[in-house]
């Protein structure tokens, strides 16, 4: 479904030399240098000569953040601090502009869209995009969370949403999520794809008790045992263990990579979707930048598995795409220094190493 080309490394050395010749010691801007290089490689995909690259000034244009919401049947097992009704209540809050992600997007310059990927409430504000795959997934520890047809439909709907933003001039995209019970789904996906025990993957989510964590571990263990025959196939793994919002985030990541967009990956749930995306097409990893490491215990393990160096560590555990939103100024700063910082030769400064 997705034809993703690896990033062209033809000009990698030229980009690195430009970074190294800025008026600073080598590597002194740390991860901002890595971001500048990766973003420049992504955005320069159409250039055909070294001369064109030297004059090229990459910029982030129309950054967009899409929050996908979905309800999870597994929430009925008491694995979250809130009932499933809160998913739709938060969708209404997003539509009204009152959530943390609304505040951060307004402050930092993201275009925000909200998608109902499949929630218990069908009537949402007209600003919420209807991409419903159902009302709620089946409990993943007793049956498949959804059908393969629902996964494929989710990918197609997500692809359409990403293409719409791309056609509006967006070259940088991030995703957020809302779904009571979705850390359980993400932990199950992580355990299945990384062949890890549930105890290493299940965490406190938005802040549950030790008793609830024990329930989550048991549910994930049951799901892993029930569906283990599917784990060689990432699409079937999604169908068995995923959520409607996680499916669409996975499809959206793949669609954005196919278009050559920069993908800013948020926290634990979005990283699980990114992990699935790389199992579907490994080239998608080239287009991902990782915003932060969350307070969820399994997040760092997943980031390590993806060879990712997150930009921020703020002990966030909210979701919604909040960590991805907060990373935007750093990404913009990385391109600002790449484009505008003087070289040693131009500034008549003796080069230091």
């Amino acid at each position: 479904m997705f034809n993703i080309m690896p990033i062209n490394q033809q000009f990698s050395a030229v980009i690195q030399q430009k970074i190294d010749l800025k008026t600073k010691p080598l590597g002194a801007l740390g991860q901002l240098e890595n971001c500048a290089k990766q973003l420049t490689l992504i955005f320069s995909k159409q250039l055909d000569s070294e001369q064109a690259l030297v004059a090229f000034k990459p910029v982030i244009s129309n950054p967009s953040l899409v929050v996908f919401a979905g309800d999870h049947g597994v929430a009925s097992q008491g694995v979250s601090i809130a009932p499933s009704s809160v998913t739709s209540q938060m969708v209404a809050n997003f539509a009204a502009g009152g959530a943390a992600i609304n505040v951060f997007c307004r402050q930092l310059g993201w275009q925000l869209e909200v998608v109902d990927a499949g929630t218990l409430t069908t009537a949402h504000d007209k600003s919420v995009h209807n991409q419903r795959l159902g009302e709620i997934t089946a409990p993943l520890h007793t049956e498949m969370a959804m059908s393969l047809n629902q996964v494929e439909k989710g990918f197609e709907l997500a692809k359409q949403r990403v293409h719409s933003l791309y056609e509006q001039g967006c070259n940088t995209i991030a995703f957020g999520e809302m779904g009571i019970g979705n850390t359980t789904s993400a932990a199950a996906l992580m355990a299945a794809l990384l062949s890890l025990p549930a105890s290493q993957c299940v965490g406190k989510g938005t802040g549950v008790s030790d008793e609830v964590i024990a329930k989550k571990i048991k549910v994930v263990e049951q799901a892993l045992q029930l569906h283990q025959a599917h784990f060689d196939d990432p699409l079937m793994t999604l169908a068995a263990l995923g959520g409607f919002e996680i499916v669409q985030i996975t499809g959206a990541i793949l669609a954005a990579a196919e278009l050559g967009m920069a993908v800013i990956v948020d926290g634990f749930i979005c990283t699980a979707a990114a992990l699935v995306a790389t199992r579907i097409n490994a080239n998608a990893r080239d287009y991902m930048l990782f915003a932060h490491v969350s307070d969820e215990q399994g997040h760092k393990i997943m980031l390590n598995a993806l060879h990712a160096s997150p930009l921020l560590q703020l002990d966030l555990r909210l979701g919604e795409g909040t960590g991805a939103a907060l990373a935007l100024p750093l990404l913009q700063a990385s391109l600002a220094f790449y484009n505008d910082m003087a070289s040693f030769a131009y500034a008549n400064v003796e080069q230091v190493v």
Side-chain angles (χ1 to χ4, degrees):
M1 298 175 69
F2 301 94
N3 180 24
I4 302 172
M5 299 299 295
I7 285 181
N8 185 352
Q9 298 289 336
Q10 177 183 359
F11 300 127
S12 179
V14 176
I15 294 169
Q16 187 63 55
Q17 183 181 44
K18 183 173 179 177
I19 291 170
D20 290 345
L21 291 178
K22 299 293 185 181
T23 47
K24 59 174 182 59
L26 287 175
L29 285 175
Q31 287 192 62
L32 292 184
E33 299 190 20
N34 299 331
C35 288
K37 184 175 182 180
Q38 186 177 358
L39 288 170
T40 303
L41 284 168
I42 293 170
F43 296 153
S44 64
K45 62 183 183 298
Q46 302 296 339
L47 302 183
D48 57 5
S49 70
E50 185 175 317
Q51 184 177 6
L53 179 67
V54 170
F56 177 61
K57 288 196 169 187
V59 295
I60 291 172
S61 62
N62 293 348
S64 299
L65 195 152
V66 185
V67 178
F68 294 91
D71 272 313
H72 292 253
V74 74
S76 65
Q77 301 303 302
V79 295
S80 183
I81 61 172
S84 290
S85 57
V86 170
T87 300
S88 293
Q89 291 168 10
M90 282 303 299
V91 171
N93 193 23
F94 298 148
I101 192 58
N102 299 97
V103 174
F104 294 161
C105 285
R106 285 195 297 267
Q107 173 70 24
L108 300 170
W110 290 94
Q111 174 182 329
L112 177 64
E113 293 195 352
V114 181
V115 172
D116 176 7
T119 61
L120 287 169
T121 298
T122 59
H124 293 296
D125 184 87
K126 62 182 181 180
S127 65
V128 177
H129 296 280
N130 180 358
Q131 298 185 182
R132 295 172 58 82
L133 302 177
E135 288 191 347
I136 189 169
T137 59
L140 54 79
H141 66 302
T142 60
E143 56 187 297
M144 299 284 286
M146 69 194 80
S147 69
L148 185 58
N149 285 340
Q150 286 174 302
V151 173
E152 292 171 346
K153 181 182 177 183
F155 278 13
E156 185 56 38
L157 290 170
K159 188 172 185 176
Q160 292 171 12
R161 177 64 33 218
V162 171
H163 275 252
S164 175
L165 292 168
Y166 179 79
E167 289 164 5
Q168 296 172 38
C170 171
N171 70 356
T172 302
I173 195 164
F175 306 107
E177 41 61 40
M178 178 62 217
I180 299 302
N182 64 8
T183 58
T184 301
S185 176
L189 288 167
M190 173 188 172
L193 294 174
L194 298 182
S195 300
L196 292 173
S199 59
Q200 289 187 32
C201 304
V202 170
K204 291 188 176 183
T206 48
V208 298
S209 66
D210 290 343
E211 180 183 358
V212 173
I213 289 177
K215 289 182 182 179
K216 288 176 71 172
I217 291 172
K218 183 177 180 181
V219 164
V220 172
E221 287 174 342
Q222 290 172 338
L224 296 174
Q225 179 66 31
L226 178 65
H227 301 299
Q228 58 183 327
H230 296 308
F231 296 161
D232 289 336
D233 181 339
L235 293 181
M236 289 299 294
T237 303
L238 264 181
L241 304 173
F244 293 146
E245 81 282 32
I246 295 174
V247 164
Q248 294 201 39
I249 292 169
T250 304
I253 289 171
L254 291 164
E258 183 177 44
L259 291 169
M261 302 167 74
V263 177
I264 315 307
V265 181
D266 187 51
F268 182 67
I269 290 97
C270 288
T271 303
L275 182 63
V276 179
T278 63
R279 296 300 176 90
I280 295 170
N281 191 316
N283 291 336
R285 175 63 183 85
D286 288 358
Y287 299 87
M288 299 176 189
L289 295 95
F290 292 80
H292 73 117
V293 55
S294 77
D295 203 31
E296 187 75 357
Q297 74 152 0
H299 194 200
K300 183 176 287 188
I301 298 172
M302 269 200 292
L303 290 170
N304 289 340
L306 287 162
H307 307 290
S309 297
L311 286 167
L312 298 166
Q313 182 168 357
L314 299 172
D315 298 332
L316 302 178
R317 51 182 174 86
L318 178 59
E320 301 179 11
T322 46
L326 291 169
L328 181 60
L330 296 178
L331 301 173
Q332 292 168 325
S334 74
L335 292 183
F337 100 74
Y338 180 84
N339 291 331
D340 300 329
M341 188 175 176
S343 67
F344 287 106
Y346 184 86
N348 197 27
V349 173
E350 182 177 347
Q351 186 168 355
V352 296
V353 295

